[in-house]
Amino acid sequence: MVMFEDKTNAPCELFTIVKKEKVSSVINRLVIYAPDIAAKAQAGQFLIIKTRETSERFPLTLSDWNKKDGTITIFFRETGFSTTELGQLCIGEKIQSIAGPLGNPSEIRKYGTVVMACGGLGTAAAYPIARALKEAGNTVITLLGARDKTLFILEKEMSSVSSAVMYSTDDGSKGQKGQITTILQGLIDKKEQIDLVFVIGPSIMMMVTSEVTRPFGIKTISSLNAIMVDGMGMCGACRVTVDGQTKFACVDGPEFDAHKANFKELIQRLKSYASEEKIALHGGNCQCHNHT
Ligand code: FES
């Protein structure tokens, strides 16, 4: 793990990066000075980020916030042009604009036992929800899934708010080999009390998880990772179908009943800009800084 931290006491300008950490070979964590957002943030909400004046806007989940320091924390993986561009910024540099907190907060109340099923970077969104659920008196069981053991994030934090944490990896390098749905199915088969499942991760993982809980009538909530542009209900980019009705993930969600969400359509829409993204990433004006 490589950590970068601003040791100067220079006063921060809005949206200045105050801490940058590479938490795995591909995942970055940024702590950003944004006191207004930190003051209002709630679990389940997200941000729309515009890295530079000419950049595109894109959504990222709010993973943590510190009202006293006026900072917010985000995690991201450099997978496309926008996230690669964000990854080029260094400590002390400013992000052009951050809109947030956006979206409806998670419905936090006492459910009983809640399983947090987290796939990859979904853990960044799941952590504040798990923390709030624990504070509301729930028992939280966390399932963390990733391709391999180097890709887990927030393990200590999730452990601190969970009564149990179970792992799965595609390659078997940590926990059970395979998917977290197998662990979830095992808990259901053992007749463990499960009052609610929160599933956050890649769309396909959320779809498969919702099919595990559906036959047992276990209420399942997913945070839909739709394409977003304005994040305020005006552009229509985040259209999703839930219970046969068109909803905007940004203002009606991002959390929906996973048993009613049309994941196949969501997956199709997410794929529709893949070729443009490839061109932007490899044909754009990349000015790679080396942070490590
Ligand atoms: Fe534009 Fe939701 S992101 S309507």
Side-chain angles (χ1 to χ4, degrees), residues 228-231 233-238 248 250:
M228 291 189 188
V229 180
D230 69 307
M234 289 183 283
C235 70
C238 65
F248 287 173
C250 64

Side-chain angles (χ1 to χ4, degrees), residues 179 215 223 268 289:
Q179 313 298 315
S223 182
Q268 202 52 45
H289 301 174

